Amino acid sequence: QMITPGTGASVTSASTVGVSYTGKLLDGTQFDKSTSTVTFPLTGVIEGWTIGVPLIKVGGRIRLIIPSKLGYGNNSPSPSIPKNSVLDFTIDLLQAQ
């Protein structure tokens, strides 16, 4: 769900981005939230982010409902994210390189 498309630079799946985000499970349980800008290459995150974040430009906000296949699949990266979880992220794209 594109909340705000953004008006800044476009990004690709190969971009390095700076974001703030909140991650929840479908039942609303929050499992992660950035407290400041987090920077990383989109090639180094779950596939759902690699596909979804380039749909907005810098300054944009998007909500991604990510099926487990494009998330962590049959793996549990932490006790707060069960195997095969559908993930619900709200992401603010703050910068791009």
Side-chain angles (χ1 to χ4, degrees):
Q1 173 187 23
M2 190 178 307
I3 298 168
T4 307
T7 57
S10 296
V11 299
T12 69
S13 60
S15 296
T16 295
V17 297
V19 300
S20 65
Y21 67 91
T22 302
K24 298 179 181 180
L25 302 176
L26 283 185
D27 68 3
T29 303
Q30 183 176 299
F31 60 81
D32 198 8
K33 182 175 183 171
S34 62
T35 55
S36 61
T37 302
V38 181
T39 303
F40 49 77
L42 284 176
T43 56
V45 293
I46 60 174
E47 190 175 357
W49 276 52
T50 305
I51 295 167
V53 173
L55 298 175
I56 58 173
K57 294 181 178 185
V58 172
R61 172 180 277 190
I62 195 166
R63 181 179 181 203
L64 299 176
I65 309 294
I66 301 174
S68 64
K69 181 179 178 181
L70 299 178
Y72 298 107
N74 198 28
N75 299 308
S76 176
S78 73
S80 58
I81 304 175
K83 293 178 180 182
N84 300 310
S85 292
V86 176
L87 308 174
D88 179 355
F89 283 98
T90 301
I91 304 163
D92 292 303
L93 181 56
L94 305 172
Q95 53 190 257
Q97 299 175 1

